[in-house]
Amino acid sequence: MENPQVHPLKAIALPSVLPTPFLHPRHEEIDQQVISYLVNTWEWPSKKAKKGFVSWKLSEVVSFMFPTGDTERVRLACELLLLGFLMDDWFDNNTLATNTTVVSRLQSILSSPSTFTPATTIERMHSTLFSRILGYPSSSSILTTYLSMLECHCSSTRGSLSTLSTYLSFRETDVGMPICRELLYFTEDLSLTPAEKSLLQPLERVANYHVSILNDIFSFEREWKAAETLGQGAVLVNGVRILADEVGVSVGVAKRLCFSLVRAWEEEFVEMSGAVLGAVADDEESRERLERAVKGIERRMTGAEAFSWRTSRYL
């Protein structure tokens, strides 16, 4: 793994105003259980692909984002998100038509559970995991949101997004932020009122944009290579590329601009958090719930970045 202090992007990264993230106290146990299962169950195209997956330490992104959650729930969240990582790479190597067929089959697990019979390893892994998650009350929204994330790989508009604003709206789901929101509530066993969720929407939007663009900065070279060499599903959907084209600057300059944008969103997030909590200052129970939610959203931002500096997936 690359040392964060000598990461090639350190030269253009601006300092963050957000707190330093931390890992779940049982992250090593969670990592061992989830990685062992995926390594021994997924159909790997090669030994190199399997070795690369293990070396990326993908479980850390989950342990960084949900460090205070219930251990078993965090383990399920980890398995779901890492399965999503595997699907992301699988989609890159296949056509949009194939991807659409696969996602349609996975949707049948939820729509027709009594009649669905898994026919592939992908379907068996999802069917088993979905069943375990659905054993918890009010958990179906997690899986419908997960499938919406996968659906983005079936969109014929992936390569035609030409403005940053339209791209960011698309990318919120594509990069998995709605599923991370649902997993925050799940891992923390946190129930919010509709009014409280409404108060959090602006913070969610800023956090989603923040994580999306940060991911684009770190993953640009990997995604560019995939779009050049892999299947029809590997369209270059990346905010760095869109900003470079829209403004007429080089990729290097666009990366610097994106880092500035990310840090500006962080400052906005801090200001907006104070306003949200101030709106419920007289309701102690609501304030406590919202404080937990705001901290959770904040950890989604800082955790995703901490993982990006540490993983070799994007190097």
Side-chain angles (χ1 to χ4, degrees), residues 49-210:
K50 181 191 294 188
K51 184 178 179 180
F53 175 80
V54 173
S55 71
W56 294 335
K57 296 287 185 180
L58 295 175
S59 68
E60 287 192 351
V61 71
V62 183
S63 286
F64 268 127
M65 288 196 295
F66 312 116
T68 60
D70 172 79
T71 300
E72 179 56 27
R73 293 184 183 221
V74 172
R75 191 172 76 82
L76 288 171
C78 185
E79 188 173 327
L80 184 67
L81 289 182
L82 265 60
L83 188 54
F85 269 111
L86 289 172
M87 291 301 296
D88 183 62
D89 289 348
W90 190 90
F91 285 139
D92 281 348
N93 286 280
N94 289 276
T95 66
L96 291 176
T98 299
N99 295 349
T100 300
T101 299
V102 169
V103 173
S104 178
R105 285 282 296 172
L106 295 181
Q107 289 170 332
S108 298
I109 299 175
L110 292 184
S111 62
S112 307
S114 61
T115 60
F116 183 82
T117 302
T120 66
T121 297
I122 286 176
E123 292 175 5
R124 284 189 291 272
M125 293 176 74
H126 279 86
S127 181
T128 300
L129 180 56
F130 283 13
S131 177
R132 287 158 56 207
I133 291 174
L134 290 172
Y136 290 85
S138 305
S139 58
S140 61
S141 61
I142 296 171
L143 303 181
T144 55
T145 308
Y146 171 80
L147 290 171
S148 294
M149 177 181 71
L150 298 190
E151 275 188 308
C152 286
H153 292 271
C154 308
S155 173
S156 60
T157 66
R158 282 175 64 82
S160 61
L161 300 164
S162 58
T163 68
L164 196 59
S165 60
T166 56
Y167 167 75
L168 286 170
S169 296
F170 170 87
R171 184 63 163 154
E172 283 188 85
T173 302
D174 182 54
V175 81
M177 286 300 95
I179 182 63
C180 289
R181 178 194 62 225
E182 296 299 325
L183 289 175
L184 167 62
Y185 301 153
F186 175 69
T187 58
E188 292 283 343
D189 196 15
L190 178 61
S191 297
L192 300 175
T193 68
E196 289 166 348
K197 290 182 178 180
S198 179
L199 280 173
L200 290 172
Q201 283 181 354
L203 293 181
E204 291 279 3
R205 185 187 68 252
V206 169
N208 293 349
Y209 291 174
H210 176 278

Side-chain angles (χ1 to χ4, degrees), residues 199-200 203 269-295:
L199 280 173
L200 290 172
L203 293 181
F269 181 87
V270 172
E271 293 177 3
M272 294 168 65
S273 297
V276 166
L277 297 178
V280 293
D282 297 330
D283 187 334
E284 185 176 347
E285 291 185 358
S286 181
R287 182 180 176 87
E288 189 274 335
R289 288 193 298 269
L290 284 172
E291 283 180 340
R292 290 176 62 196
V294 168
K295 283 295 182 183

